[in-house]
Amino acid sequence: MDKIKIRGGKKLEGKIFISGAKNAALPLICASLLTKDTVTLTNMPRLADIKAMNALMTQLGTQIDVFDDFVDGHPTQTYSYRTPQAVSLTAPYDLVRKMRASYYVLGPLLARYGRCELSLPGGCAIGARPMDIHLSAMEQLGAKIEIKNGYIYATAEGRLKGAHIIFPMVSVGATCNALMAAVLAEGNTILENAAREPEIGDLAQLLNDMGAKIEGIGTAVLKIEGVKELYGAVHKVIADRIEAGSYAVAAAITRGKIELLNAVPETLRRPMQVLRDMGVRVSETDNGILVDAEGCRLTGKDIMTEPFPGFPTDLQAQFLALMLTAEGASMVTETIFENRFMHVPELLRMGANINVHGHASAIVRGVEKLSGAPVMATDLRASFALILAGLVAEGETIVNRVYHLDRGYERLEEKLRSVGADIERLHESDEE
Ligand code: EPZ
């Protein structure tokens, strides 16, 4: 398994191009199942999760074309998806267990074919992550749901029927699945207490470009007028706000200065405000966001994760790492997932001062220095927190199991090296 070696102490300066968002691309790919025409997605990131989703789509019968492309002079990929007729309606365990977002095929397959067999994804490192809200929404839209042998058997007699759905809690995944199911349903659907993450707005935009009738995009109440058929479209994937926020912390933690090209300020208001409150200069430029921490003394700030537009849970680990280098104490409260402090034991090995109380909160006290150490990545965003700590730790940090990182960060070491980091990837054969 690959590792990443970092020698800490370099101030990062320069520009980083922010890729298309993983958490937008995954549902966008599945939305292509809703039409027999071609859906083309540009600004697609090169990520393991995209490859995993493409493998599932191919198994369902989707024809995929891909070519290397450029957006604003930066390398990306353009994918075209066409499913004239699905050859399978099953998302099997061996694919779903590797990538839980496979469950985004549920809404589209039910909407277009009235049937889907989906392996239950099971839990993951950060929590149990059940699908009860997804399944309840499908039942309210007229589907019959049966669970046996670890699989969900979803069926619908004819078209799904529009419904007034009030989500019991905000769920990004359930909102995406319900949206993709409702666009072809008979009649009107209202989704109340819908998630407002920008990636959902990106999905709704593509669906409307395909001929859907969705109103209330960006709000917690989505109104959908069902249509009989959807058509092809071309769509540019929104920039990845979590990648941008992660590199913003890389600038702040090394007291450097990085311009995040293509970052969308409206998707990062809360995290950028926290950086400003800590003493970092953050400004909007014609090309994105400039994060300038040169010469800044940072003070710790409390953060609490919430659904958008609150502080994103996917930036909690990265900001906790930043608090290690700030003066004073910070309370970090995680309200979305039940087990999202797995970066803490690894950071403690680097000399951090952190106390986790129960599952939901951690007190972080800034320390004079961190020391490099071999550490273990556990989940995607926790792994980036270890990279961040390695960038400022004295000596060498080796991050093991970097396949976690490859799921959600495109060309990570290349992007960090381009702004001055002393970082390299050790392939199996390179290891001493
Ligand atoms: C999406 O996960 C993202 N993944 C996550 O990003 C992100 O952390 C999360 O939204 C919150 O923003 C993708 O978009 C692929 P939820 P999702 O449904 O949809 C509970 C990353 O690092 N819940 O909003 O699974 C759930 O357990 C990943 O890129 C139910 O109880 O998140 C959680 O506690 C990690 N029942 C809370 O709701 C359900 O049916 C929010 O989950 C669904 C969710």
Side-chain angles (χ1 to χ4, degrees):
M1 275 185 262
D2 286 2
K3 301 178 179 183
I4 282 183
K5 178 161 75 173
I6 305 166
R7 284 188 192 82
K10 306 277 188 191
K11 186 163 74 166
L12 303 189
E13 291 180 302
K15 299 171 188 284
I16 291 182
F17 177 75
I18 300 304
S19 304
K22 164 179 86 81
N23 291 349
L26 294 171
L28 292 171
I29 292 171
C30 295
S32 69
L33 291 166
L34 289 161
T35 176
K36 62 184 183 328
D37 296 345
T38 301
V39 172
T40 298
L41 301 176
T42 65
N43 196 31
M44 286 280 277
R46 281 179 182 75
L47 296 171
D49 273 10
I50 302 295
K51 286 199 181 72
M53 184 63 86
N54 289 337
L56 171 58
M57 297 292 286
T58 302
Q59 198 158 326
L60 298 177
T62 302
Q63 293 152 21
I64 302 177
D65 291 313
V66 56
F67 59 89
D68 291 348
D69 203 347
F70 288 86
V71 163
D72 303 326
H74 296 270
T76 70
Q77 291 192 303
T78 291
Y79 276 89
S80 291
Y81 297 89
R82 200 165 79 83
T83 316
Q85 180 57 39
V87 298
S88 160
L89 299 174
T90 301
Y93 177 62
D94 66 319
L95 288 180
V96 177
R97 70 183 175 81
K98 284 184 212 129
M99 218 258 312
R100 63 182 303 104
S102 309
Y103 60 34
Y104 281 139
V105 303
L106 175 63
L109 291 180
L110 261 182
R112 187 170 167 198
Y113 295 100
R115 193 160 62 81
C116 174
E117 291 172 13
L118 170 70
S119 164
L120 278 163
C124 80
I126 62 176
R129 302 185 74 182
M131 282 190 67
D132 53 323
I133 301 173
H134 297 242
L135 301 181
S136 163
M138 297 304 127
E139 285 176 323
Q140 293 177 67
L141 290 165
K144 182 167 165 292
I145 301 287
E146 231 190 312
I147 294 180
K148 60 176 190 277
N149 312 328
Y151 274 76
I152 297 162
Y153 294 88
T155 52
E157 292 302 315
R159 286 174 74 185
L160 293 171
K161 305 284 182 292
H164 185 161
I165 298 171
I166 302 173
F167 290 115
M169 65 189 287
V170 173
S171 162
V172 170
T175 302
C176 288
N177 249 327
L179 196 50
M180 291 190 282
V183 291
L184 285 178
E186 195 175 338
N188 297 336
T189 295
I190 296 175
L191 302 181
E192 267 193 72
N193 198 23
R196 296 167 53 194
E197 272 65 8
E199 295 75 30
I200 291 169
D202 208 38
L203 171 64
Q205 195 50 60
L206 168 63
L207 292 170
N208 276 352
D209 292 348
M210 292 168 67
K213 293 181 178 170
I214 303 166
E215 289 177 5
I217 296 177
T219 75
V221 181
L222 296 172
K223 293 182 179 165
I224 305 106
E225 183 188 331
V227 295
K228 276 211 171 55
E229 192 171 1
L230 291 176
Y231 306 94
V234 179
H235 181 82
K236 179 181 176 186
V237 180
I238 191 173
D240 192 324
R241 62 193 168 99
I242 305 302
E243 184 194 25
S246 302
Y247 288 121
V249 174
I253 204 168
T254 61
R255 306 303 187 264
K257 182 176 179 180
I258 297 178
E259 187 177 14
L260 306 167
L261 301 177
N262 262 14
V264 180
E266 300 75 55
T267 66
L268 282 157
R269 293 252 177 268
R270 187 81 195 90
M272 293 307 112
Q273 190 51 51
V274 171
L275 286 181
R276 288 191 189 96
D277 294 347
M278 291 180 71
V280 179
R281 292 180 291 272
V282 180
S283 54
E284 295 179 22
T285 69
D286 294 343
N287 304 309
I289 298 171
L290 180 63
V291 178
D292 178 2
E294 287 186 333
C296 296
R297 287 162 60 99
L298 304 193
T299 51
K301 283 292 166 208
D302 295 350
I303 55 173
M304 181 171 82
T305 64
E306 295 174 293
F308 192 88
F311 189 93
T313 174
D314 290 350
L315 285 176
Q316 178 260 103
Q318 299 91 317
F319 272 70
L320 187 149
L322 177 60
M323 302 306 180
L324 303 178
T325 70
E327 290 175 17
S330 315
M331 166 88 95
V332 177
T333 306
E334 172 59 57
T335 71
I336 306 291
F337 290 108
E338 63 267 31
N339 186 33
R340 208 170 196 180
F341 284 119
M342 283 175 303
H343 37 293
V344 168
E346 297 305 305
L347 292 171
L348 291 174
R349 299 183 59 247
M350 298 176 74
N353 180 345
I354 310 168
N355 278 315
V356 177
H357 293 226
H359 288 299
S361 64
I363 295 280
V364 184
R365 290 180 175 82
V367 290
E368 278 304 306
K369 71 175 178 64
L370 293 168
S371 55
V375 289
M376 186 73 73
T378 51
D379 65 274
L380 171 57
R381 308 304 176 183
S383 313
F384 202 96
L386 302 180
I387 297 281
L388 291 165
L391 289 171
V392 290
E394 275 181 7
E396 189 175 276
T397 296
I398 302 274
V399 181
N400 292 284
R401 296 189 182 170
V402 294
Y403 59 83
H404 288 292
L405 282 162
D406 296 337
R407 300 192 51 174
Y409 289 97
E410 179 181 34
R411 296 180 292 114
L412 166 87
E413 59 271 22
E414 190 183 316
K415 291 188 179 184
L416 282 172
R417 215 172 13 245
S418 74
V419 289
D422 182 342
I423 181 171
E424 58 179 313
R425 179 178 286 251
L426 304 177
H427 298 290
E428 199 84 42
S429 54
D430 297 344
E431 286 166 31
E432 290 87 9

